[in-house]
């Protein structure tokens, strides 16, 4: 029984999170925090909240990627041109990590999250060579495999799914 539970937990850890599928025409927003405490510069839990056109919340999906609770230049959402991928960014950090935007990418990699229309959430893309000591602000994709990210100190970067290193496209900060 112990072996079964251990094996199940290991398999469950590598399967992407699955929520209800998103409904075409609905609005998805990235919410930072639970509303129970004031936001600070510490890493804060985030959620993808889906609303219908009447303003009724349909679902709330918890994200493992955290964001700064008080940074005003991060948290952009991007929808791929084909409408299949909703992209968001943040940090691989435990909620409460102090002054998250100032941490290094060695300590807290910058991350790209992807939500698919079927409800699959993939937060496995971690960037370790850009945006260190500053924030990642947004990212986009055309196909769910190739991403362009922007941030406070590394310009525009290109990264492919499964890689942790980027290619610099421009050096201008965004």
């Amino acid at each position: 029984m112990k072996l079964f539970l251990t094996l199940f937990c290991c398999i469950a850890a590598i399967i992407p999170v699955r929520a209800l599928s998103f409904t075409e025409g609905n609005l998805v927003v990235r919410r930072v925090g639970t509303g129970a405490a004031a936001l600070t510069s510490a890493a804060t839990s985030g959620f993808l909240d889906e609303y219908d056109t009447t303003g009724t919340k349909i679902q709330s999906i918890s994200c493992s990627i955290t964001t700064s609770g008080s940074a005003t230049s991060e948290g952009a959402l991007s929808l791929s041109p084909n409408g299949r991928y909703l992209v968001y960014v943040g940090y691989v950090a435990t909620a409460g990590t102090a002054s998250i935007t100032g941490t290094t990418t060695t300590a807290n990699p910058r991350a790209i999250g992807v939500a698919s229309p079927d409800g699959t959430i993939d937060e496995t893309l971690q960037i370790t060579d850009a945006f260190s000591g500053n924030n990642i602000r947004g990212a986009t994709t055309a196909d769910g495999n190739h991403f362009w990210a922007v941030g406070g100190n590394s310009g525009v970067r290109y990264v492919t799914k499964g890689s942790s290193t980027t290619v610099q496209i421009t050096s201008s900060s965004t």
Side-chain angles (χ1 to χ4, degrees):
M1 183 65 171
K2 264 185 161 175
L3 178 61
F4 172 74
L5 287 175
T6 303
L7 181 60
F8 175 76
C9 290
C10 290
I11 292 171
I14 60 172
I15 297 173
V17 176
R18 193 165 186 95
L20 296 174
S21 61
F22 293 121
T23 301
E24 187 174 337
N26 282 357
L27 176 70
V28 177
V29 297
R30 176 84 192 252
R31 177 170 45 95
V32 178
T34 62
L39 297 176
T40 68
S41 63
T44 306
S45 299
F47 304 86
L48 294 175
D49 292 340
E50 180 182 10
Y51 293 88
D52 67 16
T53 56
T54 68
T56 302
K57 186 187 284 186
I58 304 302
Q59 64 176 320
S60 184
I61 303 166
S62 179
C63 301
S64 62
I65 295 174
T66 58
T67 60
S68 169
S70 61
T72 59
S73 61
E74 64 184 52
L77 292 174
S78 172
L79 186 62
S80 64
N82 64 5
R84 294 191 41 82
Y85 305 101
L86 180 66
V87 180
Y88 54 98
V89 298
Y91 307 89
V92 179
T94 304
T97 301
S99 302
I100 189 61
T101 60
T103 63
T104 66
T105 55
T106 302
N108 300 107
R110 297 343 185 215
I112 298 175
V114 182
S116 299
D118 67 358
T120 302
I121 304 295
D122 183 354
E123 297 181 331
T124 59
L125 182 54
Q126 299 179 13
I127 296 172
T128 58
D129 69 342
F131 317 116
S132 194
N134 212 318
N135 59 2
I136 184 170
R137 296 179 177 173
T140 193
T141 186
D143 61 6
N145 291 306
H146 304 271
F147 297 85
W148 292 264
V150 296
N153 64 356
S154 299
V156 177
R157 310 294 287 216
Y158 168 78
V159 63
T160 58
K161 187 173 183 176
S163 178
S164 62
T165 57
T166 63
V167 174
Q168 188 171 44
I169 304 300
T170 68
S171 59
S172 300
S173 292
T174 56

